[in-house]
Amino acid sequence: LELSARDVFDHKSAASLAAAVSDAQEPVAEAAGAGVGSVPLTPIMRRFAESGGPVDRFNQSLALRVPAGMAERDLVTAVRTLLDQHDVLRMRVASGPGDWSVEIAAPGSVRARDLVRRVDETGLDAAARDARHVMEAEAARERLAPADGVMAQFVWFDRGPHEPGRLLVMVHHFAVDG
């Protein structure tokens, strides 16, 4: 099916929008290299550029449940795939007084292994795990660095082969918005 962003604004009800949707003729493929190179600042980046405030720790995060016994190499592979498919996760935001620029690096240029941290929680009680989560979340925030192209962190709280773990996914706000 095919519809445009404009259709969503022009057709205010689900029924009206459904009537406007048409059958897609041909899948539209993204041009090679379309997500790489210089891009304009987004409104939130402009706001930060104007205010001159610190930007590194500005993030959104989510904790996910992961299967017991998950292999670290599988998590790294999943993160690599995510980085290669979502251009803004490869973004570098160079900031200076009144002079900001944004560059998107090519797929494969950000090492997924560098963004994944495994934390062994085997045998820890709930209080110790909670304390570890707070400490590791703070450390993940500290590792975000848009100027260096570090737009995400993935912290895997591994509870061993018999208990599901948790994965903290933390992404800089410049690369995600709710």
Side-chain angles (χ1 to χ4, degrees):
L1 297 176
E2 189 171 83
L3 85 141
S4 69
R6 161 83 52 224
D7 290 333
V8 174
F9 292 100
D10 288 346
H11 304 282
K12 303 293 184 193
S13 71
S16 171
L17 186 58
V21 172
S22 61
D23 288 332
Q25 300 304 315
E26 282 288 320
V28 178
E30 182 176 84
V36 176
S38 295
V39 296
L41 297 179
T42 65
I44 191 69
M45 289 175 188
R46 273 191 236 104
R47 194 172 95 205
F48 269 90
E50 290 165 2
S51 73
V55 300
D56 285 353
R57 297 171 46 114
F58 191 45
N59 73 85
Q60 291 190 18
S61 61
L62 175 67
L64 304 171
R65 184 176 173 174
V66 296
M70 181 173 73
E72 188 169 6
R73 72 181 174 282
D74 294 338
L75 176 58
V76 171
T77 298
V79 169
R80 181 180 315 113
T81 301
L82 186 67
L83 292 169
D84 288 348
Q85 293 298 311
H86 294 282
D87 304 327
V88 294
L89 294 178
R90 300 186 312 274
M91 176 171 38
R92 181 179 307 271
V93 181
S95 60
D99 183 27
W100 282 38
S101 63
V102 178
E103 289 286 325
I104 306 293
S109 62
V110 176
R111 283 181 27 96
R113 182 73 209 106
D114 295 344
L115 304 183
V116 174
R117 175 165 165 72
R118 179 186 170 269
V119 177
D120 186 0
E121 290 191 332
T122 306
L124 295 182
D125 65 22
R129 284 193 303 235
D130 288 348
R132 174 89 38 100
H133 293 180
V134 169
M135 181 183 72
E136 291 293 339
E138 181 62 27
R141 268 190 294 278
E142 291 297 325
R143 290 190 299 270
L144 292 174
D148 297 326
V150 181
M151 300 304 293
Q153 290 291 298
F154 302 85
V155 182
W156 171 31
F157 298 100
D158 182 6
R159 295 182 182 171
H162 304 293
E163 187 178 347
R166 301 291 181 269
L167 178 65
L168 172 65
V169 178
M170 184 175 290
V171 180
H172 194 279
H173 198 341
F174 287 172
V176 66
D177 187 2

